[in-house]
Amino acid sequence: MSVPAVHRIEFPVDWEPGHVAVYLVDGPETVLFDAGTPGDDAREKLRAGLGAVGFTPADIDHLVITHPHVDHIGQVQTLLDAGSPRLYVPASVEQRFARDEADLAAVVETNARAAGVDDEESAVEMSVRSLTRNRRLLPPDSVSHWIEPSETVSIGGFDYTAVHAGGHQADHLCYATAFDETRVLFSGDMAIEPFRSVGLHVGLDNGVAETIPAFYEGLDRLSTLDVDRVYPGHGPVHDEFAASIAQSRRSLDNLGEWVTEMLDSGIETGAAVAAERARTDRENDSFLPESYGMLLWLERQGVATSTMADGVRRFRPAP
């Protein structure tokens, strides 16, 4: 079988590095990995990007989703409306999208308060809004194949093996295959150069305590792969797979050390850690699940200890 061409289409986003990418595999049947951002401008970007290499949205035979973040599922409906692609989605998304909104709101409110957030209502509204938006953008009834972790699926003439890599997002799957002798990985928001994706995992829902261990476990799984070329959702296509995994691990290790130093300086809550990080980097909202998750991880490792008072969990260095 001949080696397929892989075409990259970028959509602008408001956070580093300023774009999200999808990939068209032009093989015996067309396969598109991820679906970009929502909105009319993004729809035109998709059409223009496909048109530049001789395709239209109606020509996509298979659509594969790495994870259900808004910048990766925004044009799913455009593609479904234009043609009849088979839609492949991580299996655990089905249960996540069936989440009861009232229960989600109650859990997020409790966890936001525990993390030291002053305005729990905003955290609740954002979580519920994200759930309703994402299951509208990625309608579960349209899914052709729910992909299980470690499953190998034949898609468009090639076999792809799904590698579960949580931490950034709990359902996240990377897809490994080989084009002739070149081993490739469509990595979504993992194995990015030259930075690590933020640990959002489940946000402040049930499972926030697994944010950091899930990230490490995902990196462990990925590190067992032999990969020649990486097609990531952000940053450049690259051939430095092992280095990117090692860099992500160092980044998590360094974050743990930094948060430990914050505890030594008297910072006590997840919200305070996130605010301190936001002073030199991106938005507080993005950092909160990872920051609170890191504190819970440090407690699990015996580095920190915590007490609850008025629903707020306050951390300090372990004696």
Side-chain angles (χ1 to χ4, degrees), residues 7-9 24 45-56:
H7 305 288
R8 173 177 164 122
I9 303 170
L24 174 68
K45 283 279 187 184
L46 176 62
R47 288 174 177 161
L50 292 173
V53 291
F55 294 96
T56 72

Side-chain angles (χ1 to χ4, degrees), residues 71-303:
D71 55 323
H72 293 259
I73 61 174
Q75 296 302 317
V76 169
Q77 195 63 56
T78 294
L79 293 159
L80 293 174
D81 290 344
S84 54
R86 286 183 58 81
L87 176 58
Y88 305 78
V89 178
S92 52
V93 172
E94 184 175 24
Q95 182 176 358
R96 188 169 312 284
F97 278 11
R99 185 79 165 92
D100 180 78
E101 292 179 18
D103 186 55
L104 172 64
V107 170
V108 170
E109 182 177 12
T110 297
N111 284 337
R113 183 180 301 115
V117 174
D118 293 330
D119 185 3
E120 298 101 343
E121 288 186 7
S122 292
V124 170
E125 289 174 4
M126 182 173 65
S127 296
V128 173
R129 184 170 62 249
S130 293
L131 173 62
T132 57
R133 176 200 62 208
N134 290 349
R135 64 189 177 196
R136 172 179 54 82
L137 292 172
L138 180 59
D141 290 347
S142 298
V143 175
S144 308
H145 190 120
W146 295 103
I147 299 185
E148 298 286 349
S150 302
E151 182 179 0
T152 298
V153 186
S154 180
I155 305 174
F158 292 89
D159 289 340
Y160 294 88
T161 298
V163 183
H164 183 219
H168 172 66
Q169 199 280 327
D171 310 300
H172 193 294
L173 296 178
C174 303
Y175 299 96
T177 191
F179 296 151
D180 195 10
E181 296 182 358
T182 302
R183 297 159 298 188
V184 305
L185 185 72
F186 294 91
S187 67
D189 284 0
M190 301 294 285
I192 296 170
E193 282 285 327
F195 60 92
R196 173 181 62 83
S197 57
V198 67
L200 300 174
H201 200 54
V202 297
L204 292 175
D205 196 5
N206 290 321
V208 62
E210 300 307 310
T211 300
I212 303 304
F215 218 133
Y216 277 120
E217 289 163 11
L219 293 173
D220 288 344
R221 290 190 197 95
L222 290 171
S223 68
T224 67
L225 303 178
D226 290 323
V227 175
D228 300 311
R229 176 150 300 173
V230 181
Y231 295 96
H234 304 275
V237 175
H238 66 87
D239 301 333
E240 301 295 331
F241 173 71
S244 70
I245 297 302
Q247 188 277 336
S248 290
R249 192 184 303 279
R250 285 194 303 273
S251 174
L252 279 179
D253 292 344
N254 291 340
L255 176 60
E257 294 174 2
W258 187 18
V259 174
T260 300
E261 292 173 0
M262 291 188 204
L263 290 175
D264 291 336
S265 73
I267 291 177
E268 297 182 314
T269 68
V273 168
E276 181 65 19
R277 295 175 65 191
R279 289 176 55 193
T280 57
D281 212 321
R282 293 178 291 180
E283 293 297 323
N284 191 345
D285 287 345
S286 296
F287 283 133
L288 182 59
E290 182 177 80
S291 297
Y292 185 48
M294 179 57 78
L295 287 168
L296 294 168
W297 169 247
L298 291 173
E299 184 171 36
R300 187 182 298 186
Q301 298 302 299
V303 176

